[in-house]
Amino acid sequence: MRRQNYLSGEPWDDLHEQAQIRTRVFDRAPEDKLTASLHELLPGSPGFRLHMHYGGEEMFFVVSGSPTLRTGETEEQLGPGDVVHCPKGRDGLHTFSNSTDAPARILALSAGGFPDVVAYPEDGVAWVATRNPDFPAPEDGEIGRAS
């Protein structure tokens, strides 16, 4: 068992500049099926591209702020305490943005494994993750993703 507190403070692991999202990934072992990360959508964040997973499901908890959830059919503003479940496949199509002038934090839990197919229907693109990209590549240099 591991105890962690990543909901406040620094540092952040990644800044996705185009999406204007900072991410903190919770520590886990390579064989773990359940993973977690904290995303902070900066003011005006357009978010990540609309996508779905075929290898796992996700659940999102709004910690602070007012992010906007967009699915294939709807768009709605969320608030602290709101929870969104995204099942595998088309029913789990999602993205979040932040049109407000304050940051919005979302705790993301993912349950699944590899391989995972991630599809971006608006872009006509899909890719297959053959291994967890958060861990170092094997010595043979295999990047773990095929487009």
Side-chain angles (χ1 to χ4, degrees):
M1 180 182 332
R2 295 179 301 278
R3 181 175 182 227
Q4 303 170 61
N5 184 342
Y6 285 102
L7 294 182
S8 61
E10 300 290 335
W12 292 90
D13 297 316
D14 292 305
L15 170 61
H16 309 277
E17 289 187 37
Q18 187 172 7
Q20 287 298 292
I21 297 176
R22 299 192 308 175
T23 299
R24 181 177 298 134
V25 178
F26 288 41
D27 290 338
R28 62 195 183 276
E31 66 275 5
D32 289 349
K33 297 285 186 209
L34 182 63
T35 63
S37 55
L38 179 67
H39 301 282
E40 182 175 72
L41 286 74
L42 300 175
S45 168
F48 293 123
R49 297 180 294 166
L50 187 70
H51 67 282
M52 63 188 122
H53 295 265
Y54 285 92
E57 58 187 293
E58 296 177 297
M59 187 172 281
F60 300 94
F61 299 82
V62 178
V63 176
S64 64
S66 299
T68 299
L69 166 68
R70 184 166 68 96
T71 68
E73 300 174 8
T74 65
E75 190 170 297
E76 65 179 299
Q77 194 163 22
L78 305 175
D82 283 336
V83 177
V84 175
H85 174 250
C86 297
K88 293 178 184 181
R90 185 159 292 283
D91 289 342
L93 193 61
H94 68 279
T95 190
F96 297 91
S97 62
N98 181 11
S99 62
T100 73
D101 60 359
R105 287 189 176 186
I106 300 171
L107 176 64
L109 299 179
S110 302
F114 294 93
D116 181 13
V117 176
V118 184
Y120 300 88
E122 293 177 325
D123 302 324
V125 173
W127 55 265
V128 177
T130 58
R131 63 171 185 80
N132 189 327
D134 294 331
F135 294 100
E139 289 183 21
D140 65 9
E142 189 269 322
I143 63 170
R145 185 172 104 182
S147 297

